[in-house]
């Protein structure tokens, strides 16, 4: 497994994955995303986005982190977040924010919950926007060099494999899947009427 920057060719997959997981990214740009991939199969296993808010007090947000069900509990999300934190640092941000009701996941990586009264105005305004669709969302903050990858997640990521999809069996194929129309007689048809 590894995590890389998204490429233009990943755009369709990203849009489908965002929709499947119920994310709304109104400012979608594939270049803002990173993607986790299985080295052997090239299957995409997770994604996340860094969003830079430009204002009088610019700040950086990690958002839209998603891992399809069959790749969860294997450290994929943690490695996506690690890559996003590295990108934020490369862009000159010493602090990174996240806004979610699922903040407990981030606390194991070094993020700290922040009281609303301690947030800079633009960050608080962003939190209020997120709360319009996630009532229980809180702000979490990660300061420079505070990211900590738990060893168990690092080890799981090294050997991550997709879990079997319980609803996925072999699809039943029909003649139409091969471009064959049973109503049109051909010289090989067994249903010719004379």
């Amino acid at each position: 497994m590894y995590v890389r920057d998204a490429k233009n060719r990943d755009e369709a997959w990203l849009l489908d994955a965002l929709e499947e997981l119920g994310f709304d990214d109104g400012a979608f740009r594939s270049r803002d995303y990173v993607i986790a991939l299985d080295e052997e199969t090239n299957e995409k296993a997770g994604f996340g986005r860094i969003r830079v808010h430009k204002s009088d007090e610019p700040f950086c947000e990690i958002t839209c982190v998603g891992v399809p069900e069959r790749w969860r509990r294997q450290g994929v999300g943690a490695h996506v977040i690690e890559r996003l934190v590295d990108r934020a640092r490369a862009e000159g941000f010493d602090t990174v924010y996240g806004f979610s009701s699922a903040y407990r996941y981030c606390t194991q990586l070094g993020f700290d919950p922040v009281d609303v009264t301690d947030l800079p105005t633009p960050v608080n305004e962003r939190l209020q926007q997120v709360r319009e669709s996630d009532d229980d969302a809180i702000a979490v903050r990660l300061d420079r060099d505070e990211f900590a990858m738990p060893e168990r997640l690092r080890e799981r990521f090294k050997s991550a494999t997709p879990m079997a999809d319980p609803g996925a069996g072999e699809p039943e194929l029909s003649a139409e899947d091969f471009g064959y129309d049973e109503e049109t007689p051909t010289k090989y048809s067994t249903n010719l009427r004379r």
Side-chain angles (χ1 to χ4, degrees):
M1 291 294 291
Y2 68 100
V3 180
R4 66 159 169 80
D5 292 343
K7 301 181 183 323
N8 287 341
R9 68 177 181 255
D10 300 317
E11 193 168 300
W13 180 84
L14 278 167
L15 289 168
D16 288 345
L18 286 165
E19 183 179 338
E20 182 179 315
L21 294 174
F23 290 131
D24 180 23
D25 186 358
F28 178 83
R29 295 183 325 180
S30 60
R31 69 177 176 255
D32 294 336
Y33 282 83
V34 298
I35 295 178
L37 292 147
D38 182 342
E39 295 174 275
E40 294 175 19
T41 65
N42 236 11
E43 184 178 348
K44 294 168 181 81
F47 59 91
R49 176 178 184 220
I50 187 171
R51 183 173 180 192
V52 175
H53 295 268
K54 297 179 180 177
S55 63
D56 293 339
E57 300 176 62
F59 68 96
C60 186
E61 173 187 6
I62 289 179
T63 184
C64 295
V65 176
V67 177
E69 183 69 34
R70 54 195 249 114
W71 286 99
R72 291 185 185 162
R73 291 170 289 288
Q74 299 186 67
V76 174
H79 282 78
V80 165
I81 291 172
E82 180 180 43
R83 179 67 178 255
L84 293 171
V85 168
D86 289 343
R87 284 184 66 183
R89 287 181 188 144
E91 292 202 26
F93 289 94
D94 290 335
T95 302
V96 179
Y97 290 93
F99 310 98
S100 176
S101 57
Y103 65 90
R104 286 180 187 86
Y105 179 80
C106 293
T107 60
Q108 70 179 325
L109 303 174
F111 285 81
D112 293 315
V114 183
D115 189 82
V116 175
T117 58
D118 295 333
L119 293 173
T121 302
V123 177
N124 190 5
E125 289 171 356
R126 175 64 181 143
L127 173 60
Q128 299 314 315
Q129 286 177 334
V130 171
R131 283 184 172 170
E132 290 174 10
S133 60
D134 184 359
D135 294 339
D136 298 324
I138 70 162
V140 291
R141 174 177 57 213
L142 180 75
D143 292 320
R144 187 168 195 75
D145 301 325
E146 295 290 319
F147 184 86
M149 176 71 70
E151 192 58 34
R152 67 183 170 28
L153 295 179
R154 195 161 306 282
E155 289 304 313
R156 287 181 194 167
F157 188 70
K158 289 178 185 177
S159 60
T161 55
M163 293 181 278
D165 188 359
E170 286 294 317
E172 190 170 316
L173 299 176
S174 67
E176 288 82 19
D177 292 324
F178 297 99
Y180 177 70
D181 178 6
E182 292 182 9
E183 299 298 315
T184 305
T186 67
K187 79 179 205 179
Y188 300 108
S189 292
T190 57
N191 63 348
L192 289 176
R193 294 180 180 88
R194 297 179 193 223

